[in-house]
Amino acid sequence: MNIKQILLRLTENWPVKIICLVFAVFLSEFYRGTLLDKRYLIVPLTIENNGSLTPAEQYPAKIKITLWGDATGIGSIGENDITAFINISDFKTEGTYRIPIETRLAGTVTPLGNMEISTEPAILTLRLATSIRKQVPVTLSLKGIPADGYEVTESSLEPAAIEIEGPAELVEKITELATEPLSIEARTNGFSGTASIINNDPLISIAGKAQVQTTVKINETTIKKKFDNIPIYFEKQNKELSITADTKTGSLEIQGSKKLLETWSPSENILTVSCESITERGVYTLPVVPVLSAEYSKLQILQVSPKSVQVTAEFPEVSAEDEIHR
């Protein structure tokens, strides 16, 4: 068969042949299309940054990703297998920029067949500003009140300051950060542990762990109380001597737990002067000694007044009638 005959056969009924070719292509694409699928994922948007700038305004925490490809291949891809990010490392000057959102599959993921990935939005408009670091103190936050008669006597945390990083315009306004509230409601004893640092601004990051070690000490509430006009008690007096003192009353200042001190009142011998050493007439200076019962031994005596008294000892006067009887 010569070339002329071949050409004649190719051109014979050419409209029909063209229609068949188009139909075959259509069927092929249709069949291929039935094997493809579309899938949507919502994934976190991360920032990759090795530069001196940082986001100065909020940006979407998550974005929508569309996967288009072989149904079997994209069906095996989960939200943890794909990363959406923007890279701002190359920006050097503060300003507002249009930055493309990129995606990356995890290294262990090998999709079957061709696959297309798109993001919504595809480009993020973001203002960038200079990033700075600063040390700020951390304060311990407590909520509630201890049980009646108890109080917080000491609290501490470690470290007492942490380093924060973010846009200069925001970092410079922060003077301190606080921990999450720790409950002391109705407590009678202290405790220790860890507490998270509260950071409500997503544009500010905390260097290292956002936690501190805490110690809270709770003890009984201590109060002071003063008692005046307390009669001084003179004991072990010599019956053959008459004893008079220049001071007959005193005062006492006591410190102790609120619950214990509120139930206490001075006993009749709380301020005691021992006259045991007086055996003959004369003038003596004797100490005033406070005496607490064992029940209230936990109370602390802060001050006694007077600390001593002057005592005069004399033989009692004998009347004429007594002299006759003698």
Side-chain angles (χ1 to χ4, degrees):
M1 185 178 296
N2 56 33
I3 296 176
K4 185 177 181 181
Q5 289 176 326
I6 293 174
L7 291 174
L8 287 174
R9 287 198 173 187
L10 289 175
T11 57
E12 184 179 2
N13 295 325
W14 64 268
V16 176
K17 292 179 178 179
I18 291 176
I19 292 173
C20 290
L21 178 61
V22 171
F23 186 68
V25 171
F26 173 78
L27 287 177
S28 175
E29 290 298 318
F30 177 78
Y31 176 73
R32 178 174 173 270
T34 59
L35 299 179
L36 299 179
D37 197 5
K38 185 180 290 187
R39 188 161 179 235
Y40 302 100
L41 298 175
I42 304 296
V43 300
L45 177 63
T46 61
I47 304 290
E48 294 188 356
N49 183 19
N50 293 318
S52 60
L53 301 182
T54 190
E57 60 185 1
Q58 298 220 12
Y59 53 88
K62 295 185 177 183
I63 64 164
K64 179 180 178 182
I65 286 182
T66 302
L67 303 178
W68 171 264
D70 179 84
T72 304
I74 67 174
S76 63
I77 298 176
E79 294 178 351
N80 296 327
D81 298 322
I82 190 165
T83 302
F85 65 95
I86 60 172
N87 193 321
I88 62 174
S89 301
D90 294 333
F91 296 96
K92 307 298 181 185
T93 307
E94 292 185 342
T96 301
Y97 299 92
R98 288 171 53 82
I99 309 170
I101 298 177
E102 304 177 64
T103 59
R104 182 189 300 119
L105 287 174
T108 57
V109 176
T110 305
L112 301 175
N114 295 327
M115 182 176 65
E116 295 180 5
I117 303 176
S118 61
T119 65
E120 186 180 333
I123 293 177
L124 185 66
T125 301
L126 189 63
R127 184 168 67 89
L128 303 180
T130 301
S131 176
I132 65 170
R133 290 191 171 203
K134 185 175 84 169
Q135 285 270 344
V136 295
V138 181
T139 59
L140 182 59
S141 178
L142 302 175
K143 68 176 180 179
I145 57 174
D148 184 38
Y150 290 82
E151 63 182 348
V152 176
T153 56
E154 184 181 340
S155 64
S156 62
L157 46 78
E158 178 65 33
I162 49 94
E163 188 175 59
I164 60 174
E165 183 177 11
E169 60 195 57
L170 296 180
V171 170
E172 289 171 351
K173 295 178 182 178
I174 298 176
T175 57
E176 66 178 14
L177 291 178
T179 67
E180 61 183 326
L182 303 180
S183 177
I184 58 172
E185 184 67 31
R187 293 191 69 106
T188 59
N189 58 335
F191 58 92
S192 60
T194 60
S196 298
I197 301 172
I198 295 178
N199 175 26
N200 293 322
D201 195 332
L203 298 178
I204 300 294
S205 61
I206 297 175
K209 288 186 177 180
Q211 288 185 327
V212 291
Q213 296 291 325
T214 63
T215 299
V216 178
K217 294 183 179 180
I218 297 176
N219 294 304
E220 288 188 88
T221 302
T222 299
I223 62 172
K224 297 178 183 179
K225 200 169 183 180
K226 187 175 182 181
F227 299 86
D228 296 314
N229 299 317
I230 303 174
I232 296 176
Y233 180 75
F234 296 88
E235 68 173 4
K236 297 181 179 179
Q237 298 184 45
N238 190 320
K239 294 181 179 180
E240 296 181 1
L241 294 171
S242 173
I243 294 176
T244 58
D246 61 343
T247 304
K248 295 183 179 181
T249 62
S251 63
L252 193 66
E253 185 176 17
I254 291 186
Q255 176 177 285
S257 72
K258 180 181 178 183
K259 294 180 70 173
L260 186 61
L261 196 50
E262 284 179 344
T263 64
W264 182 83
S265 59
S267 60
E268 64 174 359
N269 65 336
I270 185 67
L271 297 181
T272 297
V273 174
S274 175
C275 301
E276 186 177 16
S277 61
I278 302 177
T279 59
E280 56 186 52
R281 61 182 299 181
V283 177
Y284 300 84
T285 299
L286 301 176
V288 178
V289 180
V291 179
L292 285 172
S293 64
E295 182 183 0
Y296 295 99
S297 60
K298 291 184 178 181
L299 296 177
Q300 181 183 1
I301 298 174
L302 300 178
Q303 187 174 354
V304 176
S305 179
K307 290 183 172 55
S308 62
V309 295
Q310 192 174 77
V311 172
T312 301
E314 295 179 329
F315 288 108
E317 294 183 3
V318 180
S319 63
E321 183 179 350
D322 291 336
E323 189 67 32
I324 292 173
H325 289 294
R326 289 177 65 184

